[in-house]
Amino acid sequence: MSSDSSSLQSTAVINEAVQSLREGRLVAFPTETVYGLGADAKNPEAIKKVFLAKGRPADHPLIIHVAAPDKFDQAQVGWVPVLSPWVRDISEDALKLMNAFWPGPLTLVFRKDKSVPLEATGGQETVAIRAPAHPLTQELLRKFKGGIVGPSANRFGKVSPTSAADVRSEFEGMLDLMVLDGGDCQVGIESTIVDLSSSDHPTLLRPGIITPGEILEKTGIKIFLPGEIIPAEGGVDIPRVSGSLRAHYAPTTPLRLYAPGRVLDALSEFPDIKSRVAVAVWDSDSALGEDGHPSVHFEEVLVPSDSVGFAGKLYRTLRDLDQQGWDLILLPEPPPGEEWDGVRDRLQRACFGSGPSSSNHANS
């Protein structure tokens, strides 16, 4: 297929997706982080369909995705007109962060404009916004001329999808879902979330691939952790954000982490599970061997030992292993260092939520 005819095809597909969104239907779309389940961010009825499809609690806020402005030959990109329909005020810090990291895997939380439906914000007076970097979704957003809410396109609490096939298998039998196929997601874990709504201290609400260290280096802005902020008198609550519940991103197979060289210790936690265990090992390490455990059938799965590579493969690995019928999945504990914090956060929530009964405590 020539590039001309493929771009014509993608234009037709995007026009169809825009029409679906305008009619209040759902469209799954690719981003650089994970696939999103999209609806018109100004349509409360469409937003409710997202919650219903996912089985997501109504007080769990959504991120609104916006188009990056066309750059032309401006030195400064004009983010203010993009944000003004959604947010009440835009600080200098916000502009610096947007100019440094948008479009990209950074979500910013603002005080919301009164026109933003409370359905999108989980009933809060704050709104989370990002401009995704995926070219297909940027084109969709530009043609839609509006914001699109887009939590990960999976059932609530389960492993996030990083391909169009993941989305289709997640919602099989839901006839009214259009899936835009933008290939495999490159970043592989959800965006970093920084709160700019409540104080002079930008606060990290969810770690991701963009770290506080990188933000400081590129913008001079210090990002605080929630525990470092002392609330003012009559203090402001930290906004609830996506992916902040204790159980999340979870496979149906029990998942545990093991410390370096401690695979056996991790196994001894599961006296009944002694048959088929998938053990992920760093690609820089030597093989485990059978570890002298006659009753266990191990299979080794190599995972990247750099944080960016590991993040990119994390959900793909969890999904694939989940579908292979193992009794237990063991992953190595991520090493210390803030570049691993995003991955560590996802793994801890995935472990807590994993196992066949995970639906029971997905809301705890």
Side-chain angles (χ1 to χ4, degrees), residues 15-27 144 176 178:
N15 289 342
E16 187 190 336
V18 166
Q19 196 52 38
S20 292
L21 289 165
R22 287 193 180 135
E23 289 168 7
R25 297 204 299 275
L26 305 186
V27 173
F144 181 59
D176 204 17
M178 181 177 181

Side-chain angles (χ1 to χ4, degrees), residues 1-342:
M1 186 185 285
S2 76
S3 63
D4 280 359
S5 61
S6 67
S7 67
L8 276 175
Q9 185 200 31
S10 72
T11 301
V13 167
I14 283 177
N15 289 342
E16 187 190 336
V18 166
Q19 196 52 38
S20 292
L21 289 165
R22 287 193 180 135
E23 289 168 7
R25 297 204 299 275
L26 305 186
V27 173
F29 61 92
T31 77
E32 71 279 23
T33 58
V34 299
Y35 272 71
L37 185 62
D40 177 353
K42 289 274 169 99
N43 180 339
E45 291 310 309
I47 294 168
K48 285 176 188 163
K49 289 181 190 171
V50 171
F51 283 93
L52 199 62
K54 282 180 63 74
R56 181 182 177 103
D59 66 351
H60 207 50
L62 304 176
I63 292 169
I64 295 175
H65 297 71
V66 296
D70 286 321
K71 288 204 178 77
F72 299 116
D73 35 5
Q74 300 158 237
Q76 275 313 76
V77 179
W79 287 108
V80 172
V82 173
L83 284 190
S84 54
W86 306 100
V87 311
R88 257 193 281 177
D89 42 13
I90 301 169
S91 64
E92 277 304 305
D93 280 356
L95 285 170
K96 282 185 192 163
L97 290 167
M98 291 184 280
N99 282 316
F101 294 105
W102 279 11
L106 176 68
T107 294
L108 300 176
V109 177
F110 300 90
R111 293 192 307 152
K112 81 176 191 69
D113 183 84
K114 60 183 182 302
S115 67
V116 180
L118 286 167
E119 285 82 357
T121 67
Q124 301 179 109
E125 289 300 318
T126 53
V127 62
I129 300 192
R130 93 176 180 97
H134 198 291
L136 190 65
T137 294
Q138 274 297 329
E139 197 183 334
L140 172 70
L141 285 158
R142 270 199 288 274
K143 287 203 166 148
F144 181 59
K145 296 187 169 38
I148 300 176
V149 295
S152 56
N154 54 286
R155 306 288 175 155
F156 183 69
K158 295 299 178 187
V159 179
S160 305
T162 53
S163 73
D166 291 346
V167 179
R168 291 191 191 102
S169 71
E170 195 79 17
F171 293 106
E172 247 164 348
M174 271 192 65
L175 300 174
D176 204 17
L177 179 63
M178 181 177 181
V179 182
L180 289 179
D181 189 343
D184 292 342
C185 301
Q186 297 303 300
V187 172
I189 61 171
E190 294 78 3
S191 57
T192 304
I193 301 182
V194 170
D195 178 28
L196 301 171
S197 70
S198 51
S199 72
D200 304 333
H201 299 98
T203 307
L204 183 72
L205 299 187
R206 178 174 75 183
I209 213 84
I210 294 174
T211 61
E214 188 185 350
I215 291 173
L216 184 64
E217 189 182 313
K218 285 197 176 158
T219 64
I221 295 169
K222 174 167 168 49
I223 303 295
F224 291 79
L225 301 179
E228 295 176 323
I229 305 293
I230 297 158
E233 284 301 313
V236 185
D237 286 338
I238 287 174
R240 295 186 307 279
V241 290
S242 286
S244 55
L245 299 185
R246 195 172 166 197
H248 226 74
Y249 320 112
T252 311
T253 311
L255 167 70
R256 291 296 177 267
L257 304 182
Y258 66 88
R262 307 301 286 271
V263 172
L264 275 184
D265 292 357
L267 278 176
S268 64
E269 275 184 60
F270 285 85
D272 311 334
I273 297 181
K274 285 282 184 274
S275 39
R276 302 183 66 255
V277 182
V279 183
V281 292
W282 301 119
D283 55 14
S284 54
D285 279 356
S286 60
L288 287 171
E290 282 291 308
D291 240 5
H293 212 292
S295 54
V296 179
H297 169 65
F298 281 120
E299 187 157 315
E300 284 184 19
V301 182
L302 289 181
V303 290
S305 48
D306 66 293
S307 58
V308 171
F310 186 89
K313 294 271 192 307
L314 173 60
Y315 293 148
R316 170 83 283 127
T317 302
L318 288 181
R319 261 181 191 267
D320 290 349
L321 292 175
D322 210 13
Q323 286 160 6
Q324 289 166 16
W326 297 97
D327 298 316
L328 177 63
I329 301 168
L330 293 178
L331 262 70
E333 280 176 9
E338 71 165 17
E339 72 275 14
W340 286 95
D341 284 352

